[in-house]
Amino acid sequence: MALTFRNQARPSAPAPAAQAPAAPAPGPRTGARRGRRAAALLASAASLCLVAASAPPTPLGIGDRLFPYLGNPGYDVTAYDLALTYPGSNSKPLRAVTTIDARVTSDLGRVNLDFAHGTVDAVEVDGLPATFTGAGEDLVIDPPVPLPRGSWMRITVHHTSDPVAAKGQDGGWVRTKDGLVMANQADAAHLVFPCNDHPSDKALFTFHVTAPDGYTAVANGLPAGVRHTAGATTWTYRTEHPMATELAQVSIGRSAVLHRTGPHGLPVRDVVPAADREALEPVLAKTPGQIAWMERKVGPYPFETYGVLMASAATGFELETQTLSLFEKNLFTNPAYPEWYLDSIMVHELSHQWFGDSVSPRTWSDLWLNEGHATWYESLYSDETAHRSMDARMKAAYGASDRWRAAGGPPARPKAPKPGQKISIFRPNVYDGAALVLYALRGTIGRPAFERLERTWVRTHRDGTATTADFERLAEQVSGRDLGAFFGAWLYGAKTPPMPGHPDWKPVPAPVAPRN
């Protein structure tokens, strides 16, 4: 863990940091409310305080099967306000203030946040200084007044955000040639800012990013103001739809921001290294047409804007950060990759805006719903626009599926990540292996019912979270069929069931390595 603390004995004043005013918290925030809460707590405050004082701080979690210590019980975050000050160097920490508005869902004498890579200078709860310490990858806060169920709380943390990765802590900030971007999936947002770092707790976000002259900052959502000061600029962005912490994105670099219009007047903005804007324009110009293609398949684009973020960094992956998908720039400047392949990758991340971002997984075991659908539409786009056969791709996936299940578990019950390899949950069984489930489902219920299911799914769960069980129930409702046996075998079986309509498809054993 790389979390350190200053002024733990109730700091009297917050450390200085640039921050625009936080968005007002939902619910009443008056002195009268505080007085009523104090009166209501008179009988129980002593016992809550004793429990908080006597119990040692411990890391908590919501019990996710794959990431048991991610997320925290007792509250539901409604809004984050992040103020970040970039010093103009990728080797120095950013100054930061994170403000969290949340509804308290259980009586709390202590609050845990996920945070594991920075220095905490001060914490306030509802404007009052609070004591704090660390436990595991948690920041543990003792509010000055216990928090009853049904109340609202505002937590403000003054801290640093370190772009230099600690040993064994990959993800979070990614250092580029000219600045920083974020890559928080699956469990790395709390390496950047204090949060409830689990996709089941989505919230609205406001970002205030200050950088020296010559840099440009862009974040999720729409711009909400620019303020120039001596030698620096602060950009503000706000989301209009709730977002999981793993999908947060902030780009700081010597960038160009290119604007165009998508379907129905949708504002599309792309962020690229300024020197590469002309070379990348033919790629970026494809996005509006790809959005229109996805809308024909599943319905209206679910957010307020979209765009592509091209980073001068070698990440080894692309990422569906909400409204601003992250790509490696070199992927699109390397002539070794054919055009149809690059197009399919763009559609993969775009389709996540519906599947994974707007409709987010309730648990990380539901990851197949994200990646299986993104792989499905990636393959379908290649089939329809570049004549790259989906049937051939699914047949190849079927041949390898048993091996993928043995290595990574069945699609809806993936094996836990190995220690130090938390992104290892992103295995073939949740990509092509999960798309194979959708292919089998379409073959079972028929194309019309399958297409109704897809549209109904993203419409019903828009801006929310959903589970595998939710998908199973909706598929039965839309198709009018009992699909219990189908899903039991395809989602949870150790072996891949026979493919409907393709009795000739067979598993292909792994090649035997030659003996020396």
Side-chain angles (χ1 to χ4, degrees), residues 145-212:
V145 179
L147 304 167
R149 178 181 178 181
S151 64
W152 292 90
M153 66 176 177
R154 170 171 286 177
I155 297 176
T156 302
V157 183
H158 302 257
H159 62 98
T160 63
S161 185
D162 197 340
V164 179
K167 184 178 180 181
Q169 290 183 329
D170 293 333
W173 287 117
V174 173
R175 295 189 288 175
T176 68
K177 288 183 179 180
D178 62 343
L180 298 171
V181 295
M182 282 187 194
N184 295 332
Q185 197 177 76
D187 68 324
H190 70 283
L191 303 182
V192 177
F193 59 97
C195 57
N196 202 30
D197 197 6
H198 193 273
S200 62
D201 192 1
K202 299 167 70 170
L204 297 172
F205 276 74
T206 300
F207 301 88
H208 314 279
V209 186
T210 302

Side-chain angles (χ1 to χ4, degrees), residues 3-26:
L3 182 60
T4 55
F5 302 92
R6 296 179 182 148
N7 303 326
Q8 293 190 39
R10 275 196 195 177
S12 57
Q19 183 188 21

Side-chain angles (χ1 to χ4, degrees), residues 332-346:
F332 295 89
T333 57
N334 187 337
Y337 297 111
E339 184 178 5
W340 71 263
Y341 174 73
L342 298 175
D343 291 348
S344 72
I345 291 177
M346 293 178 71

Side-chain angles (χ1 to χ4, degrees), residues 82 84-86 90 94 172-184 192 207-212 214-221 233-237 243 247-258 269-274 307-313 321-327 329:
L82 275 64
L84 300 164
T85 301
Y86 177 65
N90 285 355
L94 289 75
W173 287 117
V174 173
R175 295 189 288 175
T176 68
K177 288 183 179 180
D178 62 343
L180 298 171
V181 295
M182 282 187 194
N184 295 332
V192 177
F207 301 88
H208 314 279
V209 186
T210 302
Y215 289 89
T216 298
V218 183
N220 311 90
T233 302
T234 299
W235 290 264
T236 297
Y237 285 82
M243 180 170 70
L247 302 174
Q249 182 59 268
V250 171
S251 166
I252 305 170
R254 301 187 183 278
S255 308
V257 182
L258 310 179
R269 50 86 173 88
D270 302 306
V271 183
V272 301
V308 167
L309 167 59
M310 297 284 191
S312 295
T321 40
Q322 189 164 311
T323 73
L324 188 61
S325 293
L326 173 65
F327 295 87
K329 183 203 74 174

Side-chain angles (χ1 to χ4, degrees), residues 244-336:
T245 52
E246 50 121 352
L247 302 174
Q249 182 59 268
V250 171
S251 166
I252 305 170
R254 301 187 183 278
S255 308
V257 182
L258 310 179
H259 297 274
R260 67 193 81 237
T261 302
H264 321 296
L266 177 75
V268 176
R269 50 86 173 88
D270 302 306
V271 183
V272 301
D276 299 299
R277 59 185 299 170
E278 291 186 10
L280 292 171
E281 175 59 26
V283 174
L284 304 173
K286 296 180 179 183
T287 297
Q290 293 169 346
I291 296 172
W293 183 87
M294 277 297 301
E295 288 194 332
R296 289 194 295 271
K297 299 302 179 185
V298 296
Y301 177 75
F303 297 123
E304 62 272 20
T305 186
Y306 185 64
V308 167
L309 167 59
M310 297 284 191
S312 295
T315 60
F317 57 82
E318 326 306 320
L319 191 60
E320 65 272 18
T321 40
Q322 189 164 311
T323 73
L324 188 61
S325 293
L326 173 65
F327 295 87
E328 298 170 287
K329 183 203 74 174
N330 290 345
L331 184 69
F332 295 89
T333 57
N334 187 337

